[in-house]
Amino acid sequence: MKNIVLIGMPGSGKSTVGILLAKAMGYDFVDIDLVIQHREGALLQELLDTRGTAAFLDAEEAAVCSVQCRGSIIAPGGSAICRTKAAEHLRSLGPVVYLKTPLEELERRICNLSSRGIAMEPGQTLADVMAFRAPLYDKYADLVVDCPVGQTPDQTVLLVMEQLRSAQLESIPSPRGTGGPDRHSRSEQ
């Protein structure tokens, strides 16, 4: 049983969807942000404030590369794809699913931009970060699941499971008690 890795911008729902997906599939859940905090003995924002973005990315890369597991949903931080070694390690762990969320939805969800622990340089906006990272998410993703405004985490979970099943990247159980995903919010590949 492989892992499934969820990538995407901060606020895209990696942790929320990851926990729900893990429950639906009987997998474990690994939050790389928590691995970083445990390894470094500090909160993400503290690391950024005291060490800077480059050192934070180094710590994130080391944390990502330390993860060795099977049968887990893995949710790395949004910046994990900024370092090639970390991104390649994530790909080695199992299929990578990009939760592609529009900027307007990310801005609505993130109300604590300055304290959330997002790797960004002073003066950068969320739009700047997204412009830099979006091509990297596309590069490292095996599948892309669109997460439009108004889509619930449960709907996203169903779409992720459907795409994994369609791509035959993992043995995915059929969701029980649902009519399946709304066909109008179907994701692109």
Side-chain angles (χ1 to χ4, degrees), residues 18 85 103 106 112 123 163:
K85 186 176 175 184
L103 180 61
L106 298 173
N112 55 344
Q163 282 207 19

Side-chain angles (χ1 to χ4, degrees), residues 30-47 51 56 59-60 62-64 66-67:
V30 177
D31 186 323
I32 300 291
D33 286 349
L34 297 178
V35 174
I36 296 168
Q37 289 181 173
H38 178 76
R39 287 173 56 97
E40 301 298 322
L43 298 175
L44 301 180
Q45 191 61 51
E46 291 172 1
L47 293 170
R51 299 184 195 172
F56 175 86
E60 182 176 47
V64 166
S66 76
V67 172

Side-chain angles (χ1 to χ4, degrees), residues 4-25:
I4 298 167
V5 180
L6 302 178
I7 62 171
M9 284 288 290
S12 63
K14 298 179 300 290
S15 294
T16 302
V17 169
I19 289 168
L20 294 172
L21 188 60
K23 287 180 180 180
M25 295 180 62

Side-chain angles (χ1 to χ4, degrees), residues 11-126:
S12 63
K14 298 179 300 290
S15 294
T16 302
V17 169
I19 289 168
L20 294 172
L21 188 60
K23 287 180 180 180
M25 295 180 62
Y27 279 36
D28 291 327
F29 178 72
V30 177
D31 186 323
I32 300 291
D33 286 349
L34 297 178
V35 174
I36 296 168
Q37 289 181 173
H38 178 76
R39 287 173 56 97
E40 301 298 322
L43 298 175
L44 301 180
Q45 191 61 51
E46 291 172 1
L47 293 170
L48 286 161
D49 291 344
T50 59
R51 299 184 195 172
T53 305
F56 175 86
L57 293 174
D58 289 342
E60 182 176 47
E61 179 182 54
V64 166
C65 292
S66 76
V67 172
Q68 296 294 333
C69 57
R70 292 194 55 75
S72 296
I73 306 298
I74 301 170
S79 55
I81 46 76
C82 293
R83 295 288 172 94
T84 302
K85 186 176 175 184
E88 291 296 339
H89 183 70
L90 290 171
R91 288 184 89 185
S92 76
L93 294 172
V96 176
V97 179
Y98 171 22
L99 302 181
K100 189 173 186 176
T101 308
L103 180 61
E104 66 183 283
E105 182 67 5
L106 298 173
E107 289 174 334
R108 186 187 69 76
R109 291 179 186 178
I110 300 174
C111 56
N112 55 344
L113 192 60
S114 64
S115 62
R116 183 166 171 152
I118 299 172
M120 52 195 295
E121 295 296 335
Q124 276 190 315
T125 65
L126 200 55

